[in-house]
């Protein structure tokens, strides 16, 4: 089943995250009502789960919880997210979250 892509005018105003997803329309797949992003630049291609905004902090918390504090922990968490998950600007989200966890744990 193919879903028709609406134009920007038909959609109207949207958040930056929604715009970034809309721009990647051809890479998105809906499977059992779950949205995935297909990455063709790697062999074999990879499906990343598109994580809703309200679930990102919980996901990052789980990925950073057992990691080494500091930059290396953030880099490992980023690779873990990159392998299986996607949301617009996820690298920045992981860096900010992991550095925040690191700073809080030092106090």
């Amino acid at each position: 089943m193919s879903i028709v892509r609406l134009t920007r005018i038909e959609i109207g105003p949207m958040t930056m995250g929604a715009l970034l997803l809309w721009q990647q329309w051809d890479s998105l797949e809906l499977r059992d009502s779950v949205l995935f992003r297909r990455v063709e630049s790697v062999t074999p291609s990879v499906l990343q789960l598109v994580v809703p905004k309200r679930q990102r902090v919980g996901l990052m918390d789980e990925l950073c919880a057992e990691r080494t504090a500091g930059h290396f922990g953030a880099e490992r968490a980023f690779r873990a997210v990159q392998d299986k998950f996607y949301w617009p600007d996820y690298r920045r989200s992981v860096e900010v979250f992991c550095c925040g966890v690191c700073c809080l744990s030092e106090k």
Side-chain angles (χ1 to χ4, degrees):
M1 179 175 95
S2 178
I3 300 174
V4 176
R5 179 182 182 180
L6 299 175
T7 66
R8 281 283 317 267
I9 294 170
E10 292 171 320
I11 293 173
M14 64 177 96
T15 65
M16 183 58 71
L19 176 61
L20 290 171
L21 287 171
W22 178 81
Q23 290 172 335
Q24 299 178 60
W25 183 271
D26 294 333
S27 299
L28 301 176
E29 294 183 23
L30 198 57
R31 293 185 175 191
D32 297 323
S33 300
V34 178
L35 187 61
F36 292 91
R37 174 180 177 248
R38 181 170 295 285
V39 180
E40 299 283 348
S41 60
V42 295
T43 305
S45 64
V46 173
L47 277 181
Q48 297 170 312
L49 174 67
V50 177
V51 181
K53 194 171 191 172
R54 67 181 178 276
Q55 295 177 339
R56 295 173 191 169
V57 170
L59 174 66
M60 290 186 290
D61 190 39
E62 290 205 19
L63 292 172
C64 292
E66 300 299 321
R67 306 278 182 208
T68 304
H71 178 72
F72 294 113
E75 192 60 36
R76 279 193 286 262
F78 169 73
R79 284 194 301 269
V81 168
Q82 184 180 29
D83 289 344
K84 297 179 181 175
F85 306 102
Y86 176 79
W87 63 86
D89 204 18
Y90 63 100
R91 182 181 245 313
R92 176 89 175 119
S93 297
V94 171
E95 287 173 352
V96 168
F97 183 84
C98 288
C99 288
V101 169
C102 175
C103 290
L104 289 175
S105 65
E106 290 176 357
K107 292 183 178 185

